[in-house]
Amino acid sequence: MSNGSKPLPGVLRWTLGDLTVTVMNDGYLPGSLDLVVGIEKDEAGALQAAGFRARDPRITLNAFLVTGPGREPLLIDTGMGGFGGPTLGRLPAALAAAGVRAEEIGTVLLTHLHPDHAGGLITADGSAAFPNAELVVHTDEAAHWLGDGALSRAPEAAKPYFENAAKATAPYADRTRIVTGGEVAPGITQVPLPGHTPGHSGYRIVSGDRSLLMWADIVHLPAIQFKRPEAGLVFDVDAEAARQVRRRILDEVASDRTFIAGAHLEFPALGYVARDGAGYSFVPELWVAAA
């Protein structure tokens, strides 16, 4: 609940082997149950209420910083940047609170090219927010949003998303690496999770005997989609593929007791998935403040 004061940056550091993963909250997107597809609106509202959330959801937005000995800081996603409203765009303050300057970022791994993940690539004047960073994106994602003729083929309602993707990535044109999965940085593997967008991808981070799967946008609305994985959002490019991938990943991480993080899980967005009747539940990781 806001008391009218300026919000403090949401930052939480987590040790993973010899790496540090810092969760950075960019704010939230004001939402509506009109965004939910695949289940009835009344059921979605009831699930929000059962989860102690407001009927009109706030969709949390997180990005992730990876640091460690002998390596340049690496960023997974960049937040909304200037493409959003007053409840978003907090990543620069969070990055500063984490003690990292934008020019120190050596690599930006994108999960996909929706503006809430790629908008923070640029500053207000359109220049690169991370002037020394290489950009990494899945080949199917680049082809869908940035390929020849992509804008002209896009449905009219979707054209702003294509224009935003092109604008955000333009300053990185000569330092963009297009990949199809596999290791993209030491200890970090891209995991294709197509459906939400064609090249939507998560990233598995491994250090020593510890691992973390940052699953990007597998879940947007935790109170709804853990209980009813068939529920999707209107932003899904391929709704059926997104449902299938969500079901598969939820089953896999629950079976394997995988440590996960999500772009739209409520901050600090780290935990586990447990089976819960016909659906699932999210179990936050126990966080203990340092002495």
Side-chain angles (χ1 to χ4, degrees):
M1 181 179 296
S2 173
N3 61 6
S5 62
K6 186 175 180 180
L8 295 173
V11 175
L12 184 141
R13 291 184 176 90
W14 200 264
T15 300
L16 193 78
D18 66 353
L19 300 179
T20 297
V21 177
T22 303
V23 188
M24 298 183 294
N25 183 251
D26 192 60
Y28 67 90
L29 297 91
S32 161
L33 292 182
D34 292 335
L35 300 176
V36 180
V37 297
I39 65 172
E40 295 297 324
K41 184 186 291 188
D42 285 347
E43 182 180 4
L47 288 169
Q48 281 288 101
F52 298 92
R53 273 85 164 181
R55 180 176 176 85
D56 286 334
R58 291 181 171 186
I59 304 177
T60 302
L61 178 58
N62 305 300
F64 300 83
L65 174 72
V66 182
T67 54
R71 59 194 296 160
E72 292 179 309
L74 176 150
L75 193 59
I76 302 177
D77 285 345
T78 66
M80 183 70 90
F83 291 99
T87 63
L88 292 156
R90 299 174 185 169
L91 185 135
L95 195 63
V100 175
R101 293 176 290 111
E103 54 267 30
E104 294 180 272
I105 301 295
T107 306
V108 175
L109 306 178
L110 287 180
T111 60
H112 58 302
L113 281 166
H114 276 162
D116 53 323
H117 300 264
L121 284 169
I122 55 175
T123 61
D125 65 3
S127 60
F130 307 100
N132 299 311
E134 176 189 47
L135 191 62
V136 177
V137 63
H138 192 279
T139 183
D140 293 340
E141 195 69 3
H144 178 74
W145 299 103
L146 307 174
D148 292 341
L151 179 61
S152 63
R153 292 192 301 269
E156 196 62 34
K159 286 187 185 298
Y161 291 91
F162 285 78
E163 291 167 346
N164 290 344
K167 182 177 180 181
T169 57
Y172 302 84
D174 61 349
R175 46 198 169 100
T176 296
R177 178 159 44 111
I178 307 300
V179 298
T180 56
E183 188 172 67
V184 293
I188 303 179
T189 301
Q190 187 186 64
V191 182
L193 302 169
H196 179 56
T197 64
H200 176 250
S201 300
Y203 290 94
R204 190 180 304 276
I205 306 166
V206 179
S207 181
D209 61 353
R210 300 292 309 281
S211 68
L212 170 69
L213 173 64
M214 189 281 181
W215 70 13
D217 284 19
I218 289 294
V219 168
H220 288 84
L221 298 174
I224 295 172
Q225 291 175 294
F226 281 112
K227 301 299 183 186
R228 293 292 302 273
E230 64 269 36
L233 264 67
V234 296
F235 305 118
D236 294 332
V237 173
D238 185 332
E240 182 55 34
R243 278 191 287 270
Q244 291 178 8
V245 167
R246 182 163 43 255
R247 286 186 176 279
R248 174 174 63 82
I249 292 299
L250 288 171
D251 179 69
E252 287 179 3
V253 300
S255 297
D256 298 341
R257 302 174 66 87
T258 301
F259 188 36
I260 62 99
H264 298 295
L265 298 180
E266 283 99 347
F267 186 84
L270 298 167
Y272 302 87
V273 176
R275 288 189 172 82
D276 186 358
Y280 300 87
S281 59
F282 178 64
V283 182
E285 173 67 301
L286 177 64
W287 180 79
V288 179

